[in-house]
PDB file of all heavy atoms in Angstrom:
ATOM      1  N   PRO A  10       2.546  14.967  14.026  1.00  0.00           N
ATOM      2  CA  PRO A  10       2.943  13.579  13.754  1.00  0.00           C
ATOM      3  C   PRO A  10       1.860  12.588  14.165  1.00  0.00           C
ATOM      4  O   PRO A  10       1.285  12.692  15.235  1.00  0.00           O
ATOM      5  CB  PRO A  10       4.200  13.397  14.621  1.00  0.00           C
ATOM      6  CG  PRO A  10       4.716  14.783  14.843  1.00  0.00           C
ATOM      7  CD  PRO A  10       3.499  15.658  14.906  1.00  0.00           C
ATOM      8  N   GLY A  11       1.574  11.656  13.303  1.00  0.00           N
ATOM      9  CA  GLY A  11       0.538  10.651  13.572  1.00  0.00           C
ATOM     10  C   GLY A  11       0.573   9.590  12.486  1.00  0.00           C
ATOM     11  O   GLY A  11       1.404   9.654  11.568  1.00  0.00           O
ATOM     12  N   PRO A  12      -0.339   8.611  12.543  1.00  0.00           N
ATOM     13  CA  PRO A  12      -0.315   7.508  11.569  1.00  0.00           C
ATOM     14  C   PRO A  12      -0.387   7.969  10.123  1.00  0.00           C
ATOM     15  O   PRO A  12       0.339   7.446   9.260  1.00  0.00           O
ATOM     16  CB  PRO A  12      -1.553   6.689  11.952  1.00  0.00           C
ATOM     17  CG  PRO A  12      -1.794   7.001  13.388  1.00  0.00           C
ATOM     18  CD  PRO A  12      -1.387   8.423  13.573  1.00  0.00           C
ATOM     19  N   ASN A  13      -1.271   8.930   9.818  1.00  0.00           N
ATOM     20  CA  ASN A  13      -1.419   9.371   8.429  1.00  0.00           C
ATOM     21  C   ASN A  13      -0.162  10.075   7.918  1.00  0.00           C
ATOM     22  O   ASN A  13       0.281   9.840   6.793  1.00  0.00           O
ATOM     23  CB  ASN A  13      -2.632  10.299   8.298  1.00  0.00           C
ATOM     24  CG  ASN A  13      -3.941   9.562   8.493  1.00  0.00           C
ATOM     25  OD1 ASN A  13      -4.117   8.452   8.011  1.00  0.00           O
ATOM     26  ND2 ASN A  13      -4.860  10.183   9.202  1.00  0.00           N
ATOM     27  N   VAL A  14       0.383  10.955   8.750  1.00  0.00           N
ATOM     28  CA  VAL A  14       1.587  11.688   8.351  1.00  0.00           C
ATOM     29  C   VAL A  14       2.752  10.727   8.141  1.00  0.00           C
ATOM     30  O   VAL A  14       3.463  10.790   7.126  1.00  0.00           O
ATOM     31  CB  VAL A  14       1.949  12.749   9.412  1.00  0.00           C
ATOM     32  CG1 VAL A  14       3.337  13.320   9.147  1.00  0.00           C
ATOM     33  CG2 VAL A  14       0.918  13.869   9.413  1.00  0.00           C
ATOM     34  N   LEU A  15       2.965   9.839   9.100  1.00  0.00           N
ATOM     35  CA  LEU A  15       4.077   8.897   8.990  1.00  0.00           C
ATOM     36  C   LEU A  15       3.905   7.969   7.793  1.00  0.00           C
ATOM     37  O   LEU A  15       4.887   7.610   7.133  1.00  0.00           O
ATOM     38  CB  LEU A  15       4.201   8.083  10.276  1.00  0.00           C
ATOM     39  CG  LEU A  15       4.594   8.881  11.527  1.00  0.00           C
ATOM     40  CD1 LEU A  15       4.631   7.964  12.743  1.00  0.00           C
ATOM     41  CD2 LEU A  15       5.930   9.577  11.344  1.00  0.00           C
ATOM     42  N   ASN A  16       2.664   7.590   7.501  1.00  0.00           N
ATOM     43  CA  ASN A  16       2.428   6.724   6.338  1.00  0.00           C
ATOM     44  C   ASN A  16       2.752   7.448   5.038  1.00  0.00           C
ATOM     45  O   ASN A  16       3.386   6.874   4.141  1.00  0.00           O
ATOM     46  CB  ASN A  16       0.972   6.263   6.321  1.00  0.00           C
ATOM     47  CG  ASN A  16       0.654   5.424   5.091  1.00  0.00           C
ATOM     48  OD1 ASN A  16       1.172   4.331   4.916  1.00  0.00           O
ATOM     49  ND2 ASN A  16      -0.177   5.960   4.212  1.00  0.00           N
ATOM     50  N   THR A  17       2.317   8.704   4.907  1.00  0.00           N
ATOM     51  CA  THR A  17       2.615   9.467   3.691  1.00  0.00           C
ATOM     52  C   THR A  17       4.115   9.641   3.509  1.00  0.00           C
ATOM     53  O   THR A  17       4.651   9.467   2.406  1.00  0.00           O
ATOM     54  CB  THR A  17       1.930  10.841   3.740  1.00  0.00           C
ATOM     55  OG1 THR A  17       0.517  10.658   3.762  1.00  0.00           O
ATOM     56  CG2 THR A  17       2.298  11.681   2.513  1.00  0.00           C
ATOM     57  N   MET A  18       4.809   9.967   4.610  1.00  0.00           N
ATOM     58  CA  MET A  18       6.259  10.144   4.531  1.00  0.00           C
ATOM     59  C   MET A  18       6.956   8.840   4.162  1.00  0.00           C
ATOM     60  O   MET A  18       7.838   8.811   3.291  1.00  0.00           O
ATOM     61  CB  MET A  18       6.778  10.679   5.874  1.00  0.00           C
ATOM     62  CG  MET A  18       6.351  12.100   6.191  1.00  0.00           C
ATOM     63  SD  MET A  18       6.744  12.571   7.891  1.00  0.00           S
ATOM     64  CE  MET A  18       8.507  12.333   7.912  1.00  0.00           C
ATOM     65  N   ALA A  19       6.566   7.746   4.840  1.00  0.00           N
ATOM     66  CA  ALA A  19       7.204   6.460   4.578  1.00  0.00           C
ATOM     67  C   ALA A  19       6.950   5.991   3.148  1.00  0.00           C
ATOM     68  O   ALA A  19       7.837   5.430   2.499  1.00  0.00           O
ATOM     69  CB  ALA A  19       6.676   5.417   5.570  1.00  0.00           C
ATOM     70  N   THR A  20       5.749   6.248   2.644  1.00  0.00           N
ATOM     71  CA  THR A  20       5.420   5.867   1.262  1.00  0.00           C
ATOM     72  C   THR A  20       6.259   6.657   0.269  1.00  0.00           C
ATOM     73  O   THR A  20       6.784   6.095  -0.709  1.00  0.00           O
ATOM     74  CB  THR A  20       3.923   6.087   0.992  1.00  0.00           C
ATOM     75  OG1 THR A  20       3.147   5.288   1.896  1.00  0.00           O
ATOM     76  CG2 THR A  20       3.567   5.697  -0.437  1.00  0.00           C
ATOM     77  N   ALA A  21       6.388   7.962   0.515  1.00  0.00           N
ATOM     78  CA  ALA A  21       7.174   8.806  -0.385  1.00  0.00           C
ATOM     79  C   ALA A  21       8.641   8.400  -0.382  1.00  0.00           C
ATOM     80  O   ALA A  21       9.295   8.354  -1.435  1.00  0.00           O
ATOM     81  CB  ALA A  21       7.030  10.269   0.013  1.00  0.00           C
ATOM     82  N   ILE A  22       9.166   8.066   0.795  1.00  0.00           N
ATOM     83  CA  ILE A  22      10.573   7.674   0.891  1.00  0.00           C
ATOM     84  C   ILE A  22      10.814   6.319   0.234  1.00  0.00           C
ATOM     85  O   ILE A  22      11.773   6.128  -0.523  1.00  0.00           O
ATOM     86  CB  ILE A  22      11.014   7.624   2.370  1.00  0.00           C
ATOM     87  CG1 ILE A  22      11.046   9.032   2.964  1.00  0.00           C
ATOM     88  CG2 ILE A  22      12.390   6.973   2.515  1.00  0.00           C
ATOM     89  CD1 ILE A  22      11.225   9.053   4.467  1.00  0.00           C
ATOM     90  N   GLY A  23       9.929   5.348   0.520  1.00  0.00           N
ATOM     91  CA  GLY A  23      10.160   3.988   0.061  1.00  0.00           C
ATOM     92  C   GLY A  23       9.697   3.695  -1.345  1.00  0.00           C
ATOM     93  O   GLY A  23      10.285   2.862  -2.040  1.00  0.00           O
ATOM     94  N   SER A  24       8.635   4.377  -1.795  1.00  0.00           N
ATOM     95  CA  SER A  24       8.046   4.046  -3.102  1.00  0.00           C
ATOM     96  C   SER A  24       8.083   5.203  -4.092  1.00  0.00           C
ATOM     97  O   SER A  24       7.580   5.070  -5.206  1.00  0.00           O
ATOM     98  CB  SER A  24       6.598   3.580  -2.909  1.00  0.00           C
ATOM     99  OG  SER A  24       6.547   2.440  -2.095  1.00  0.00           O
ATOM    100  N   GLY A  25       8.619   6.333  -3.673  1.00  0.00           N
ATOM    101  CA  GLY A  25       8.761   7.441  -4.608  1.00  0.00           C
ATOM    102  C   GLY A  25       7.666   8.489  -4.465  1.00  0.00           C
ATOM    103  O   GLY A  25       6.657   8.296  -3.778  1.00  0.00           O
ATOM    104  N   ARG A  26       7.891   9.593  -5.143  1.00  0.00           N
ATOM    105  CA  ARG A  26       7.004  10.749  -5.021  1.00  0.00           C
ATOM    106  C   ARG A  26       5.598  10.479  -5.535  1.00  0.00           C
ATOM    107  O   ARG A  26       4.615  10.919  -4.953  1.00  0.00           O
ATOM    108  CB  ARG A  26       7.630  11.934  -5.760  1.00  0.00           C
ATOM    109  CG  ARG A  26       6.889  13.239  -5.591  1.00  0.00           C
ATOM    110  CD  ARG A  26       7.719  14.399  -6.101  1.00  0.00           C
ATOM    111  NE  ARG A  26       8.916  14.588  -5.282  1.00  0.00           N
ATOM    112  CZ  ARG A  26       9.832  15.528  -5.522  1.00  0.00           C
ATOM    113  NH1 ARG A  26       9.693  16.327  -6.562  1.00  0.00           N
ATOM    114  NH2 ARG A  26      10.887  15.655  -4.730  1.00  0.00           N
ATOM    115  N   ARG A  27       5.483   9.734  -6.642  1.00  0.00           N
ATOM    116  CA  ARG A  27       4.155   9.473  -7.202  1.00  0.00           C
ATOM    117  C   ARG A  27       3.293   8.679  -6.219  1.00  0.00           C
ATOM    118  O   ARG A  27       2.112   8.984  -6.030  1.00  0.00           O
ATOM    119  CB  ARG A  27       4.284   8.719  -8.527  1.00  0.00           C
ATOM    120  CG  ARG A  27       4.785   9.580  -9.689  1.00  0.00           C
ATOM    121  CD  ARG A  27       5.056   8.720 -10.928  1.00  0.00           C
ATOM    122  NE  ARG A  27       3.864   8.002 -11.366  1.00  0.00           N
ATOM    123  CZ  ARG A  27       2.929   8.512 -12.163  1.00  0.00           C
ATOM    124  NH1 ARG A  27       3.052   9.756 -12.611  1.00  0.00           N
ATOM    125  NH2 ARG A  27       1.893   7.799 -12.525  1.00  0.00           N
ATOM    126  N   ALA A  28       3.870   7.654  -5.600  1.00  0.00           N
ATOM    127  CA  ALA A  28       3.124   6.878  -4.609  1.00  0.00           C
ATOM    128  C   ALA A  28       2.772   7.750  -3.406  1.00  0.00           C
ATOM    129  O   ALA A  28       1.685   7.641  -2.834  1.00  0.00           O
ATOM    130  CB  ALA A  28       3.934   5.669  -4.156  1.00  0.00           C
ATOM    131  N   GLY A  29       3.690   8.648  -3.019  1.00  0.00           N
ATOM    132  CA  GLY A  29       3.415   9.570  -1.922  1.00  0.00           C
ATOM    133  C   GLY A  29       2.251  10.489  -2.240  1.00  0.00           C
ATOM    134  O   GLY A  29       1.411  10.780  -1.370  1.00  0.00           O
ATOM    135  N   ILE A  30       2.174  10.932  -3.489  1.00  0.00           N
ATOM    136  CA  ILE A  30       1.054  11.779  -3.908  1.00  0.00           C
ATOM    137  C   ILE A  30      -0.245  10.979  -3.884  1.00  0.00           C
ATOM    138  O   ILE A  30      -1.301  11.496  -3.502  1.00  0.00           O
ATOM    139  CB  ILE A  30       1.334  12.360  -5.307  1.00  0.00           C
ATOM    140  CG1 ILE A  30       2.474  13.379  -5.224  1.00  0.00           C
ATOM    141  CG2 ILE A  30       0.078  13.012  -5.893  1.00  0.00           C
ATOM    142  CD1 ILE A  30       2.948  13.899  -6.571  1.00  0.00           C
ATOM    143  N   GLY A  31      -0.184   9.711  -4.280  1.00  0.00           N
ATOM    144  CA  GLY A  31      -1.375   8.855  -4.181  1.00  0.00           C
ATOM    145  C   GLY A  31      -1.853   8.730  -2.745  1.00  0.00           C
ATOM    146  O   GLY A  31      -3.061   8.766  -2.466  1.00  0.00           O
ATOM    147  N   SER A  32      -0.911   8.620  -1.826  1.00  0.00           N
ATOM    148  CA  SER A  32      -1.251   8.566  -0.405  1.00  0.00           C
ATOM    149  C   SER A  32      -1.901   9.869   0.047  1.00  0.00           C
ATOM    150  O   SER A  32      -2.885   9.860   0.805  1.00  0.00           O
ATOM    151  CB  SER A  32       0.015   8.296   0.419  1.00  0.00           C
ATOM    152  OG  SER A  32      -0.265   8.269   1.798  1.00  0.00           O
ATOM    153  N   ALA A  33      -1.375  10.994  -0.411  1.00  0.00           N
ATOM    154  CA  ALA A  33      -1.938  12.301  -0.048  1.00  0.00           C
ATOM    155  C   ALA A  33      -3.355  12.471  -0.575  1.00  0.00           C
ATOM    156  O   ALA A  33      -4.232  13.010   0.120  1.00  0.00           O
ATOM    157  CB  ALA A  33      -1.040  13.417  -0.587  1.00  0.00           C
ATOM    158  N   LEU A  34      -3.601  12.009  -1.798  1.00  0.00           N
ATOM    159  CA  LEU A  34      -4.950  12.083  -2.370  1.00  0.00           C
ATOM    160  C   LEU A  34      -5.949  11.303  -1.517  1.00  0.00           C
ATOM    161  O   LEU A  34      -7.086  11.737  -1.300  1.00  0.00           O
ATOM    162  CB  LEU A  34      -4.947  11.557  -3.802  1.00  0.00           C
ATOM    163  CG  LEU A  34      -4.232  12.419  -4.840  1.00  0.00           C
ATOM    164  CD1 LEU A  34      -4.126  11.671  -6.171  1.00  0.00           C
ATOM    165  CD2 LEU A  34      -4.968  13.737  -5.041  1.00  0.00           C
ATOM    166  N   ALA A  35      -5.520  10.150  -1.014  1.00  0.00           N
ATOM    167  CA  ALA A  35      -6.400   9.339  -0.181  1.00  0.00           C
ATOM    168  C   ALA A  35      -6.737  10.036   1.130  1.00  0.00           C
ATOM    169  O   ALA A  35      -7.853   9.897   1.642  1.00  0.00           O
ATOM    170  CB  ALA A  35      -5.752   7.984   0.093  1.00  0.00           C
ATOM    171  N   VAL A  36      -5.789  10.781   1.671  1.00  0.00           N
ATOM    172  CA  VAL A  36      -6.056  11.534   2.904  1.00  0.00           C
ATOM    173  C   VAL A  36      -7.160  12.559   2.662  1.00  0.00           C
ATOM    174  O   VAL A  36      -8.084  12.717   3.474  1.00  0.00           O
ATOM    175  CB  VAL A  36      -4.782  12.227   3.420  1.00  0.00           C
ATOM    176  CG1 VAL A  36      -5.114  13.177   4.576  1.00  0.00           C
ATOM    177  CG2 VAL A  36      -3.760  11.196   3.882  1.00  0.00           C
ATOM    178  N   GLY A  37      -7.090  13.261   1.528  1.00  0.00           N
ATOM    179  CA  GLY A  37      -8.130  14.223   1.196  1.00  0.00           C
ATOM    180  C   GLY A  37      -9.497  13.570   1.065  1.00  0.00           C
ATOM    181  O   GLY A  37     -10.489  14.067   1.610  1.00  0.00           O
ATOM    182  N   VAL A  38      -9.555  12.432   0.380  1.00  0.00           N
ATOM    183  CA  VAL A  38     -10.826  11.710   0.230  1.00  0.00           C
ATOM    184  C   VAL A  38     -11.341  11.241   1.586  1.00  0.00           C
ATOM    185  O   VAL A  38     -12.536  11.365   1.905  1.00  0.00           O
ATOM    186  CB  VAL A  38     -10.652  10.510  -0.719  1.00  0.00           C
ATOM    187  CG1 VAL A  38     -11.909   9.643  -0.735  1.00  0.00           C
ATOM    188  CG2 VAL A  38     -10.328  10.989  -2.133  1.00  0.00           C
ATOM    189  N   GLY A  39     -10.449  10.709   2.412  1.00  0.00           N
ATOM    190  CA  GLY A  39     -10.842  10.231   3.729  1.00  0.00           C
ATOM    191  C   GLY A  39     -11.398  11.337   4.603  1.00  0.00           C
ATOM    192  O   GLY A  39     -12.397  11.146   5.314  1.00  0.00           O
ATOM    193  N   LEU A  40     -10.787  12.506   4.546  1.00  0.00           N
ATOM    194  CA  LEU A  40     -11.282  13.646   5.322  1.00  0.00           C
ATOM    195  C   LEU A  40     -12.676  14.048   4.865  1.00  0.00           C
ATOM    196  O   LEU A  40     -13.537  14.386   5.682  1.00  0.00           O
ATOM    197  CB  LEU A  40     -10.326  14.832   5.187  1.00  0.00           C
ATOM    198  CG  LEU A  40      -9.056  14.752   6.023  1.00  0.00           C
ATOM    199  CD1 LEU A  40      -8.064  15.826   5.597  1.00  0.00           C
ATOM    200  CD2 LEU A  40      -9.392  14.915   7.509  1.00  0.00           C
ATOM    201  N   GLY A  41     -12.905  14.018   3.553  1.00  0.00           N
ATOM    202  CA  GLY A  41     -14.231  14.347   3.047  1.00  0.00           C
ATOM    203  C   GLY A  41     -15.283  13.363   3.531  1.00  0.00           C
ATOM    204  O   GLY A  41     -16.388  13.758   3.922  1.00  0.00           O
ATOM    205  N   LEU A  42     -14.932  12.068   3.538  1.00  0.00           N
ATOM    206  CA  LEU A  42     -15.864  11.046   4.005  1.00  0.00           C
ATOM    207  C   LEU A  42     -16.170  11.213   5.497  1.00  0.00           C
ATOM    208  O   LEU A  42     -17.333  11.137   5.920  1.00  0.00           O
ATOM    209  CB  LEU A  42     -15.284   9.655   3.750  1.00  0.00           C
ATOM    210  CG  LEU A  42     -15.136   9.238   2.278  1.00  0.00           C
ATOM    211  CD1 LEU A  42     -14.425   7.889   2.173  1.00  0.00           C
ATOM    212  CD2 LEU A  42     -16.507   9.167   1.605  1.00  0.00           C
ATOM    213  N   TRP A  43     -15.134  11.463   6.292  1.00  0.00           N
ATOM    214  CA  TRP A  43     -15.335  11.674   7.728  1.00  0.00           C
ATOM    215  C   TRP A  43     -16.204  12.899   7.973  1.00  0.00           C
ATOM    216  O   TRP A  43     -17.112  12.880   8.817  1.00  0.00           O
ATOM    217  CB  TRP A  43     -13.985  11.845   8.432  1.00  0.00           C
ATOM    218  CG  TRP A  43     -13.384  10.569   8.919  1.00  0.00           C
ATOM    219  CD1 TRP A  43     -12.291   9.928   8.419  1.00  0.00           C
ATOM    220  CD2 TRP A  43     -13.823   9.771  10.023  1.00  0.00           C
ATOM    221  NE1 TRP A  43     -12.033   8.778   9.126  1.00  0.00           N
ATOM    222  CE2 TRP A  43     -12.955   8.660  10.126  1.00  0.00           C
ATOM    223  CE3 TRP A  43     -14.876   9.879  10.931  1.00  0.00           C
ATOM    224  CZ2 TRP A  43     -13.102   7.675  11.098  1.00  0.00           C
ATOM    225  CZ3 TRP A  43     -15.024   8.899  11.912  1.00  0.00           C
ATOM    226  CH2 TRP A  43     -14.152   7.812  11.997  1.00  0.00           C
ATOM    227  N   CYS A  44     -15.934  13.976   7.242  1.00  0.00           N
ATOM    228  CA  CYS A  44     -16.676  15.218   7.441  1.00  0.00           C
ATOM    229  C   CYS A  44     -18.155  15.032   7.132  1.00  0.00           C
ATOM    230  O   CYS A  44     -19.022  15.389   7.943  1.00  0.00           O
ATOM    231  CB  CYS A  44     -16.091  16.331   6.574  1.00  0.00           C
ATOM    232  SG  CYS A  44     -16.943  17.920   6.776  1.00  0.00           S
TER     233      CYS A  44
END
């Protein structure tokens, strides 16, 4: 549990699955940039 996980969950609950998937895609991009 952390900011990214809670944000993805909250987005999926409040804005639907498609928005949640958009949030998940951003996590992948962010990890690549950090790496």
Side-chain angles (χ1 to χ4, degrees):
N13 291 319
V14 169
L15 294 178
N16 177 66
T17 297
M18 291 170 59
T20 300
I22 291 170
S24 300
R26 186 168 294 179
R27 287 173 59 85
I30 291 173
S32 179
L34 290 171
V36 171
V38 172
L40 282 168
L42 293 175
W43 270 109
C44 181

